[in-house]
Amino acid sequence: MLTGAQANAYAEKIASDVSGMPYGGVYAKVSAAAWPTRTTPRSKQSHNGIRGHDPAGLLLEAYAFGTFGIIALWAGIAAFILAGLMLILVAFGFWHSRRVPDHVEILAPATK
């Protein structure tokens, strides 16, 4: 997988497969059904439930960080565009300060 969207699609596929398992593939429920009196579950179905939920969770985490990355990319592009705009405005400010005499400026100190 190369993108967060691909990870999300695969996680949804895994989630739909796991939801078709008994008790929705929830580890605690499958384990309790397999051994109602046992405290340490060793059911093959319960391990399949774990093997389904873990990759789906990891893929959804990859999807989330992919989304963060896309947002950071656009924020970085916007920051560079705004920095370029500020550079242009500063250049205009220096250009203006060289062309306008001191007595014409709005905030010039009062002369006697």
Side-chain angles (χ1 to χ4, degrees):
M1 280 166 258
L2 300 175
T3 65
Q6 290 173 343
N8 185 31
Y10 195 62
E12 288 177 2
K13 169 78 170 90
I14 290 173
S16 69
D17 290 345
V18 170
S19 68
M21 292 178 64
Y23 303 103
V26 177
Y27 177 73
K29 290 181 181 179
V30 173
S31 169
W35 284 285
T37 59
R38 194 169 196 169
T39 58
T40 57
R42 299 189 194 274
S43 157
K44 184 174 184 177
Q45 283 185 337
S46 64
H47 289 293
N48 287 339
I50 289 175
R51 289 186 187 121
H53 285 294
D54 287 348
L58 293 171
L59 287 168
L60 288 175
E61 185 176 356
Y63 170 63
F65 278 102
T67 303
F68 292 157
I70 290 171
I71 292 169
L73 171 73
W74 286 109
I77 290 171
F80 275 104
I81 290 171
L82 291 174
L85 177 65
M86 289 305 299
L87 180 66
I88 292 169
L89 291 175
V90 167
F92 278 139
F94 281 125
W95 174 73
H96 175 75
S97 70
R98 291 185 178 264
R99 294 197 67 206
V100 176
D102 288 340
H103 68 280
V104 177
E105 288 185 20
I106 294 174
L107 299 175
T111 58
K112 292 182 183 180

